[in-house]
Short mmCIF file of all heavy atoms in Angstrom, two decimals:
data_model
loop_
_atom_site.label_atom_id
_atom_site.label_comp_id
_atom_site.label_asym_id
_atom_site.label_seq_id
_atom_site.Cartn_x
_atom_site.Cartn_y
_atom_site.Cartn_z
N ARG A 339 -7.33 -11.25 -12.28
CA ARG A 339 -8.78 -11.41 -12.27
C ARG A 339 -9.32 -11.67 -13.68
O ARG A 339 -8.64 -11.42 -14.69
CB ARG A 339 -9.45 -10.16 -11.70
CG ARG A 339 -9.13 -9.91 -10.24
CD ARG A 339 -10.08 -8.90 -9.65
NE ARG A 339 -11.47 -9.35 -9.75
CZ ARG A 339 -12.49 -8.68 -9.24
NH1 ARG A 339 -12.29 -7.55 -8.60
NH2 ARG A 339 -13.72 -9.12 -9.38
N ASP A 340 -10.55 -12.15 -13.74
CA ASP A 340 -11.22 -12.32 -15.02
C ASP A 340 -11.52 -10.96 -15.64
O ASP A 340 -11.65 -9.96 -14.92
CB ASP A 340 -12.53 -13.10 -14.85
CG ASP A 340 -12.29 -14.55 -14.43
OD1 ASP A 340 -11.20 -15.07 -14.76
OD2 ASP A 340 -13.17 -15.13 -13.77
N PRO A 341 -11.64 -10.90 -16.97
CA PRO A 341 -11.94 -9.61 -17.61
C PRO A 341 -13.25 -9.01 -17.11
O PRO A 341 -14.17 -9.73 -16.69
CB PRO A 341 -12.02 -9.97 -19.10
CG PRO A 341 -11.20 -11.21 -19.23
CD PRO A 341 -11.42 -11.97 -17.94
N GLY A 342 -13.33 -7.70 -17.16
CA GLY A 342 -14.54 -6.99 -16.76
C GLY A 342 -14.88 -5.93 -17.79
O GLY A 342 -14.29 -5.88 -18.87
N PRO A 343 -15.80 -5.03 -17.46
CA PRO A 343 -16.17 -3.97 -18.40
C PRO A 343 -15.04 -2.96 -18.59
O PRO A 343 -14.21 -2.76 -17.70
CB PRO A 343 -17.39 -3.32 -17.74
CG PRO A 343 -17.23 -3.63 -16.28
CD PRO A 343 -16.58 -4.96 -16.20
N GLU A 344 -15.02 -2.32 -19.73
CA GLU A 344 -14.05 -1.27 -20.00
C GLU A 344 -14.36 -0.05 -19.14
O GLU A 344 -15.54 0.24 -18.86
CB GLU A 344 -14.08 -0.88 -21.47
CG GLU A 344 -13.55 -1.93 -22.41
CD GLU A 344 -12.04 -2.12 -22.29
OE1 GLU A 344 -11.36 -1.19 -21.80
OE2 GLU A 344 -11.56 -3.19 -22.70
N PRO A 345 -13.35 0.70 -18.70
CA PRO A 345 -13.61 1.97 -18.01
C PRO A 345 -14.43 2.91 -18.89
O PRO A 345 -14.28 2.92 -20.12
CB PRO A 345 -12.21 2.53 -17.76
CG PRO A 345 -11.31 1.33 -17.75
CD PRO A 345 -11.91 0.39 -18.76
N VAL A 346 -15.33 3.66 -18.27
CA VAL A 346 -16.24 4.55 -18.99
C VAL A 346 -15.77 5.99 -18.81
O VAL A 346 -15.56 6.45 -17.67
CB VAL A 346 -17.68 4.39 -18.48
CG1 VAL A 346 -18.61 5.38 -19.19
CG2 VAL A 346 -18.16 2.95 -18.70
N PHE A 347 -15.60 6.72 -19.91
CA PHE A 347 -15.23 8.13 -19.88
C PHE A 347 -16.44 8.95 -20.32
O PHE A 347 -17.02 8.69 -21.37
CB PHE A 347 -14.06 8.40 -20.83
CG PHE A 347 -12.79 7.68 -20.48
CD1 PHE A 347 -12.58 6.37 -20.88
CD2 PHE A 347 -11.80 8.30 -19.74
CE1 PHE A 347 -11.42 5.69 -20.57
CE2 PHE A 347 -10.63 7.65 -19.41
CZ PHE A 347 -10.43 6.33 -19.83
N THR A 348 -16.81 9.96 -19.51
CA THR A 348 -18.02 10.74 -19.82
C THR A 348 -17.75 12.23 -19.64
O THR A 348 -17.20 12.64 -18.61
CB THR A 348 -19.19 10.32 -18.91
OG1 THR A 348 -19.35 8.90 -18.96
CG2 THR A 348 -20.47 10.99 -19.36
N GLU A 349 -18.16 12.99 -20.62
CA GLU A 349 -18.08 14.45 -20.55
C GLU A 349 -19.48 15.01 -20.32
O GLU A 349 -20.43 14.60 -20.99
CB GLU A 349 -17.49 15.00 -21.85
CG GLU A 349 -17.34 16.51 -21.88
CD GLU A 349 -16.65 16.96 -23.16
OE1 GLU A 349 -15.41 16.92 -23.21
OE2 GLU A 349 -17.37 17.31 -24.12
N TYR A 350 -19.61 15.95 -19.37
CA TYR A 350 -20.91 16.56 -19.05
C TYR A 350 -20.85 18.06 -19.32
O TYR A 350 -19.76 18.67 -19.35
CB TYR A 350 -21.26 16.32 -17.59
CG TYR A 350 -21.57 14.88 -17.26
CD1 TYR A 350 -20.58 14.02 -16.79
CD2 TYR A 350 -22.86 14.36 -17.42
CE1 TYR A 350 -20.85 12.70 -16.47
CE2 TYR A 350 -23.14 13.04 -17.12
CZ TYR A 350 -22.13 12.21 -16.64
OH TYR A 350 -22.42 10.90 -16.33
N ALA A 351 -22.02 18.65 -19.45
CA ALA A 351 -22.09 20.08 -19.74
C ALA A 351 -21.70 20.92 -18.53
O ALA A 351 -21.07 21.96 -18.67
CB ALA A 351 -23.50 20.45 -20.21
N ASP A 352 -22.09 20.48 -17.33
CA ASP A 352 -21.81 21.25 -16.13
C ASP A 352 -21.73 20.33 -14.91
O ASP A 352 -22.05 19.14 -15.01
CB ASP A 352 -22.87 22.34 -15.92
CG ASP A 352 -24.28 21.77 -15.98
OD1 ASP A 352 -24.62 20.96 -15.09
OD2 ASP A 352 -25.03 22.11 -16.93
#
Side-chain angles (χ1 to χ4, degrees):
R339 295 195 59 176
D340 292 333
E344 291 290 338
V346 177
F347 297 84
T348 308
E349 181 175 277
Y350 291 94
D352 51 65

